[in-house]
Amino acid sequence: WNTNTGETNDGVELGSGFNEIAASVTASKSQDPLVFVGGLSYSHAFEDDGIRPGDAFGFSLGTVLAASPETSLQFFLDNAFFMDTKVDGRDVPGSDEVVAVFTIGASSILSSRVFADVELGIGLTEAAPDYTIRVAFPIQFDLPIR
């Protein structure tokens, strides 16, 4: 559930501004050294002030290759289909879109507590960003819990 917490700040939306509900399911199958991954998703935004963004359907297909015990390579195709937005019950022409991105990535264990994950996304459709880069360094902390 995503709440309608978006605000406008100097004309820039800082959230979706709509209540939304979303669901997804992911399945994986390993065949060493590969893991095949597939997923389906759906989201529905609720009408607010006469405006209702279109539902979104998506799927993802990919594989992860264990290149070594510490490092893996990832290849994914992500697709999302956005239906027309409606204003006062009427479709807004041209508001539907397809977003497809091909992602190539690598992950590696740097130490017993630090992991590195790098991804490059390449947009395959007009509505997708041309390129995306994501770099993450998840760190494990041991916190005393009382």
Side-chain angles (χ1 to χ4, degrees), residues 9 20-21 40 118:
N9 184 7
E20 299 173 301
I21 190 164
L40 297 171
V118 178

Side-chain angles (χ1 to χ4, degrees), residues 25-100:
V25 62
T26 303
S28 64
K29 170 69 174 145
S30 66
Q31 292 180 341
D32 285 340
L34 294 172
V35 175
F36 298 99
V37 182
L40 297 171
S41 63
Y42 170 76
S43 67
H44 173 80
F46 296 95
E47 185 173 331
D48 186 22
D49 208 18
I51 301 170
R52 190 175 84 71
D55 293 349
F57 303 88
F59 73 88
S60 177
L61 296 171
T63 188
V64 180
L65 170 66
S68 74
E70 296 84 18
T71 302
S72 65
L73 304 174
Q74 305 127 28
F75 306 92
F76 278 86
L77 174 64
D78 295 307
N79 280 282
F81 304 91
F82 296 90
M83 309 310 282
D84 280 324
T85 295
K86 293 182 185 287
V87 176
D88 295 327
R90 286 184 248 121
D91 288 348
V92 175
S95 61
D96 62 329
E97 58 188 10
V98 177
V99 177

